[in-house]
Amino acid sequence: MPAVDRPDEKPIRLGILADIHGNYRALAAVLADMAQAGVERIVSLGDNIGYGPEPEEVVRALIEHRVVSVMGNHELGLFSRSYCKRLHAVARDSLALTRTLLSPESLAWLEALPAVLCDGGVRYVHGCPPRSATIYLYEPTENRLQRVFASYSERFCFAGHTHDFGWYRQTGTEVASQEVAIGQVPLEPDARYLLKPGSVGQPRDLVDWHAKYMIWDQAAAAIDIRSVPYDVQTTIRLLGERGFPASNAKRLYW
């Protein structure tokens, strides 16, 4: 697996993706925005597939762009029958269709994804640190945040799964949640951060329907939440043509 970040390398602009969910049109728009923004490396926090109509195109694009990824719960559902049974009916039906649209090579790539990636003092996980692909971090209490931060040692952790963006910060013994608006926000030099980049393929942030992702500008010690419009109508049309549940389309555009 290629390195994501090394302490002896120069600071970079790192793109963080999460929850693409088979929405290739959203991913293509984000990749184009990343190129214009000077992103040098890309990490995905999983759920690259599931719900969306073009999972094969998504995986091929991630491989082509040398994106490093961890496993999300929807990838887990492809390969774990016991976990798949725990998903709701729409997710199960979407995964069954998704499997028929994936090549053997793409299935092998998805199955090989690790649960967690730790590199250069940074942790990447789909759900909740230290390594869960299935546990959500929705409005955690202060006590829960204390336990989460104590469960891993890295200063920075990136997580997805909730389909929204924001961060949690630990300064000394104090922890706090913070809403983050679209745009650039500086990071404090002495704080630890658990950061959520939002969803590329199925945002639930109530800001807009655009694809969301995060740039971590290491030299500037800042993050940048990006909101990127894309061809949502083609994604909606393909969902219908390929037999995905109607609710998958309703979640995309409001």
Side-chain angles (χ1 to χ4, degrees), residues 140-142 145-146 149 166-171 173-179 192-194:
T141 64
E142 182 177 340
L145 275 179
Q146 291 282 12
F149 273 109
W167 73 31
Y168 308 107
R169 181 181 65 238
Q170 182 184 53
T171 306
T173 59
E174 297 183 357
V175 295
S177 303
Q178 182 169 331
E179 294 184 0
R192 296 178 69 208
Y193 287 94
L194 171 50

Side-chain angles (χ1 to χ4, degrees), residues 8-254:
D8 57 346
E9 292 185 353
K10 68 178 181 66
I12 63 169
R13 289 173 63 80
L14 183 68
I16 311 291
L17 310 175
D19 299 287
I20 302 165
H21 280 295
N23 190 339
Y24 172 70
R25 310 295 155 154
L27 175 62
V30 163
L31 290 172
D33 189 74
M34 283 185 169
Q36 291 184 345
V39 167
E40 297 164 82
R41 297 178 190 164
I42 309 171
V43 179
S44 172
L45 303 177
D47 274 9
N48 302 298
I49 52 81
Y51 295 131
E54 296 182 277
E56 178 68 14
E57 291 82 353
V58 165
V59 174
R60 288 180 180 178
L62 294 178
I63 294 172
E64 177 186 348
H65 287 82
R66 301 185 66 187
V67 176
V68 178
S69 180
V70 298
M71 180 173 286
N73 65 302
H74 282 254
E75 283 94 358
L76 181 62
L78 275 179
F79 306 108
S80 168
R81 287 187 179 182
S82 61
Y83 178 71
C84 191
K85 290 178 181 178
R86 292 165 49 191
L87 296 171
H88 57 76
V90 169
R92 292 198 305 270
D93 292 345
S94 297
L95 280 179
L97 273 171
T98 292
R99 180 177 287 279
T100 69
L101 297 171
L102 287 165
S103 66
E105 294 77 14
S106 292
L107 281 166
W109 186 84
L110 292 166
E111 188 172 15
L113 296 178
V116 64
L117 174 64
C118 300
D119 198 36
V122 186
R123 178 174 292 259
Y124 306 90
V125 64
H126 178 65
C128 180
R131 59 182 300 108
S132 177
T134 61
I135 297 174
Y136 286 93
L137 268 177
Y138 275 134
E139 299 181 354
T141 64
E142 182 177 340
N143 286 340
R144 188 181 180 201
L145 275 179
Q146 291 282 12
R147 293 195 300 271
V148 169
F149 273 109
S151 71
Y152 64 96
S153 60
E154 290 81 11
R155 182 184 170 205
F156 294 100
C157 179
F158 294 89
H161 201 28
T162 62
H163 291 222
D164 63 359
F165 57 85
W167 73 31
Y168 308 107
R169 181 181 65 238
Q170 182 184 53
T171 306
T173 59
E174 297 183 357
V175 295
S177 303
Q178 182 169 331
E179 294 184 0
V180 180
I182 301 297
Q184 191 173 85
V185 183
L187 300 173
E188 297 178 9
D190 298 324
R192 296 178 69 208
Y193 287 94
L194 171 50
L195 303 115
K196 302 188 298 180
S199 170
V200 171
Q202 197 183 93
R204 299 173 191 164
D205 50 55
L206 304 181
V207 174
D208 55 43
W209 55 266
H210 298 170
K212 308 298 190 309
Y213 79 97
M214 178 184 289
I215 296 175
W216 178 20
D217 188 333
Q218 296 174 353
I223 60 167
D224 186 5
I225 300 291
R226 312 275 286 192
S227 177
V228 184
Y230 70 96
D231 183 6
V232 67
Q233 294 301 330
T234 295
T235 298
I236 290 172
R237 175 177 59 79
L238 289 171
L239 282 166
E241 290 177 357
R242 297 184 178 182
F244 282 83
S247 60
N248 292 12
K250 292 178 182 178
R251 290 180 174 183
L252 294 180
Y253 194 50
W254 42 271

